[in-house]
Amino acid sequence: MPESAETPEAAAGRPLDGRAELSEFLRTRRARLQPQDVGLPSYGRHRRVPGLRREELAQLAGVSVAYYTRLEQGNGRNVSGEVLDAIARALRLTDAEHAHLTHLAKPKALKKKRAARPQHMRPALQQLLDSIDGVPAYVVGRRSDILGWNAMAAALFGDWGRLAPKDRNWARICFLDEGSRDLFVDWEQKASDIVSYLRMDAGCYPNDPRLTALVGELSVKSEEFRSLWATHDVREKGHGVKRMRHPLVGEVTLAYETLRLPDDCDQSLIMYHAEPDSAAAQALRLLASWGRDAASVGSATQ
């Protein structure tokens, strides 16, 4: 390791450097594009940098090379929204990446957004979760914190109620609990998704001390987390399919949907479901029955 390189232990717990975050995000987005991807000629077989050169990207975005260079060096203080839009188009950013770029380049705009405050799930939402029968459902907030869940979620993912509140967090579970590797068939994709969500949070709340502490801890304890964090990939929670290997019902494939709560954009309701009359639907019925039996045994022994 070079003498100037910083160890994860030294960086842990220190607030994220906004200028460095902007610089690295732009650099990594530029590195993934080749000239032919954007209709530019590629001169020479041996390019000194991966992906597009700064001058090529500046040409695509319609800005001067000096202007773009200052931005990539982390100086987004006076950049306009129109220029950011042009750069986002040139880099072929997704909507999530575009939003992340705006947060990084214009952090003053975040003053209009309420400060990160302690998260609390409304009691009515827990009542709603408890009323959802046969469908694993939970509410997740900032930093991938798990705020509430129903009995089916506990049967599928494990009893989060036995964890300390700070450990009810998907990032901690994924990277620090070996059981998650057995549960998720595509663990690498699950891990990548979680890190990309944390990156989005870091763009929105760069001064959140709990997020800084979480990233620092995981960077120290997990080489896989450090590697994924360094990619600067960002994604919004959405919908998709997860394959799981449950100790009671075996492998099960479930679709999931993410519903952002209208009165708190930092909280989302996640629900998993199966195709009707499928093997996965039968597996959920078995889990529901097992959950009821376990609850009745627990009540009888109290």
Side-chain angles (χ1 to χ4, degrees):
M1 179 182 294
E3 290 184 3
S4 59
E6 186 176 46
T7 64
E9 290 82 357
R14 195 178 60 232
L16 298 174
D17 183 338
R19 289 174 62 96
E21 292 292 307
L22 174 59
S23 177
E24 284 298 298
F25 180 69
L26 286 171
R27 185 187 61 78
T28 55
R29 298 314 90 179
R30 180 166 57 85
R32 70 183 180 181
L33 290 176
Q34 298 299 322
Q36 57 268 28
D37 295 334
V38 293
L40 292 177
S42 180
Y43 297 110
R45 300 179 61 182
H46 303 289
R47 295 169 64 89
R48 291 183 300 172
V49 295
L52 292 179
R53 298 187 178 100
R54 286 175 175 174
E55 55 267 27
E56 291 170 332
L57 183 57
Q59 175 187 343
L60 288 170
V63 299
S64 72
V65 177
Y67 189 99
Y68 176 76
T69 298
R70 288 195 299 272
L71 182 62
E72 192 172 294
Q73 290 173 343
N75 185 6
R77 180 176 52 187
N78 297 318
V79 66
S80 69
E82 291 76 10
V83 168
L84 289 178
D85 292 345
I87 291 173
R89 288 192 297 270
L91 288 171
R92 299 190 173 184
L93 300 186
T94 66
D95 289 344
E97 290 171 330
H98 191 170
H100 187 62
L101 172 61
T102 302
H103 288 149
L104 294 177
K106 301 179 75 67
K108 288 184 178 180
L110 295 176
K111 290 183 178 179
K112 299 178 182 178
K113 190 181 181 77
R114 67 184 183 281
R117 57 186 180 185
Q119 300 182 102
H120 299 289
M121 191 182 73
R122 289 186 290 110
L125 283 175
Q126 185 60 59
Q127 295 170 11
L128 173 63
L129 289 171
D130 293 337
S131 71
I132 300 175
D133 187 30
V135 175
Y138 61 89
V139 171
V140 66
R142 297 191 312 275
R143 304 179 295 268
S144 74
D145 286 345
I146 301 164
L147 305 180
W149 59 93
N150 65 0
M152 278 297 295
L156 179 62
F157 298 111
D159 187 2
W160 292 323
R162 295 184 178 182
L163 299 177
K166 77 177 186 67
D167 292 328
R168 297 170 192 163
N169 174 280
W170 266 123
R172 290 183 186 279
I173 292 169
C174 188
F175 290 98
L176 303 181
D177 182 353
E178 288 297 322
S180 70
R181 298 173 187 268
D182 297 326
L183 178 61
F184 292 101
V185 176
D186 303 310
W187 180 88
E188 291 81 4
Q189 184 60 55
K190 176 67 174 178
S192 176
D193 288 343
I194 289 173
V195 175
S196 72
Y197 304 153
L198 289 181
R199 271 286 179 197
M200 287 293 292
D201 280 351
C204 292
Y205 297 106
N207 299 316
D208 180 355
R210 290 186 60 186
L211 177 59
T212 298
L214 176 64
V215 170
E217 178 186 358
L218 294 177
S219 296
V220 169
K221 295 181 177 179
S222 171
E223 182 177 352
E224 289 159 309
F225 178 85
R226 290 199 302 273
S227 177
L228 288 169
W229 187 254
T231 67
H232 288 262
D233 289 341
V234 292
R235 282 188 292 276
E236 286 278 17
K237 302 178 185 69
H239 58 86
V241 174
K242 283 283 187 293
R243 290 193 301 151
M244 282 161 278
R245 192 183 297 108
H246 195 277
L248 290 177
V249 299
E251 188 165 319
V252 58
T253 300
L254 299 174
Y256 67 91
E257 298 287 341
T258 301
L259 308 177
R260 195 176 296 277
L261 301 184
D263 61 343
D264 189 339
C265 64
D266 292 325
Q267 295 187 21
S268 297
L269 171 64
I270 319 291
M271 295 188 291
Y272 284 74
H273 61 97
E275 289 286 340
D277 302 319
S278 64
Q282 175 64 19
L284 286 183
R285 286 193 289 271
L286 288 174
L287 277 179
S289 176
W290 171 77
R292 286 192 293 269
D293 291 344
S296 64
V297 170
S299 298
T301 58
Q302 289 180 357

